[in-house]
Amino acid sequence: GNEIPDIKAYIEENVKTKEKSNLFGVAKDKNVIFINAESIQSFVINNEVNGQEITPFLNSLTEDEDTYYFENFYHQTEQGKTSDSEFIVENSLYPLSRGAVFFTHAQNEYHAMPEILKTEGYYSSVLHANNKSFWNRDQMYQSFGIDHFYGEEAYEVSEENSIGWGLKDKPFFEQSIKYLQSMEEPFYTKLITLTNHFPFDLDETDKSIEPYDSNSNTLNNFFPTVRYMDEAIEQFFDQLKDAGLYEDSIIIIMGDHYGISANHNRAMSMYLDKEEITPYDHVQLQRVPFFIHIPGHGQGEVKSEVSGQIDVKPTLLSLLGVENKNDLHFGNDLFSDERKGYIALRNGNFISDDYIFASDTCYNRETGEPVEIDQKEEATDQNVESACDPISKRVDKELGYSDDLIYGDLFRFVEFTDQK
Ligand code: GP9
Ligand code: MN
């Protein structure tokens, strides 16, 4: 545990915000209903395919007065895909650069959100119609302090109501309502969708929009399954209202990771009407939707700040009025004015207010043009740094510290006393 003082000092100095945000405690004691939306990327929001809206419901949320929509929110996952997104959200730590931390470090001690919320009287659960050992969830959820996992066996799954990976999203949400109704309040619950998963299979009867037409069937079929998920989420909102669960809850919707990999860049460039997908474009395609819906709030807006999955834990805890002062984490409360100002991707690339660093190139975030090194500086200093270097150094340091915490199982040595 020798590294802990250094890590603590770094986080105090560089990560933590000193002031509470204006929204601290606005959702105190509300239920949290967190929708982990499979493979959705931000490029579909407020966009069209074949002249048709792709996500009419989510689009309407971007303009909803009770909803904050973060349009520059990045997924930060690696090989652990969905499980990495869960790991980042619950801990505000980075996933590992290889393998899935859900498999390699499930026995660690963590200071995860479900555990923190338990001290505030919350019951926590995850609902997902898949096998509990997939991604080793049964083990890792215990380490996170999750009270119950409603897996495949909690659902009625038949040939008619399944496709691809299993139970379709509409029956999944429908069947989940009774479990939510039976939970002790306040609860923190996560629902993980499945239909919008590669290879994006969908029954004809569930197709409300036509596929795209390109050389990539993956991209082509992505659009109708995204629309199906959009409809499933819309129905779920109505079901929550009918069940009397809506008013006392806040609803979070987050994309877990990309659905369309760089293997489909040719089709993607055609869809986006670009000559090619540059490393800059590739990073911009790692944006996933993030919505915070607070019924009755009335102050929702579209937020443009650079943000990411690492910020979810501090943001949610702040909304719920939980101080969590001693935590070791790498994200910020997105409603605070003093933020780090950059989002690190696991491979060391980053997005800052001014720059995007990708493929060893420093891009201007606004224009997408590579940033030229200042000529004057170059003349006086042969080792002139690129404009991205100062943040690059912090990113590398941070990723290393996060790795130290995981590899050393360092949360064993940290005491969290001032929870309240
Ligand atoms: C599996 C589901 C999908 O349970 O979460 O996992 P993914 O392949 O997206 O990581
Ligand atoms: Mn996933």
Side-chain angles (χ1 to χ4, degrees), residues 36 38-39 79-84 86 128-131 134-135 137 165 192-194 197 256-257:
N36 217 76
E38 179 61 45
S39 296
Q79 294 171 343
K81 306 298 291 286
T82 310
S83 71
D84 276 356
E86 296 187 62
H128 180 47
N130 198 1
N131 192 296
F134 199 96
W135 286 129
R137 283 189 171 100
W165 280 59
I192 305 174
T193 72
L194 205 49
H197 193 292
D256 61 351
H257 50 74

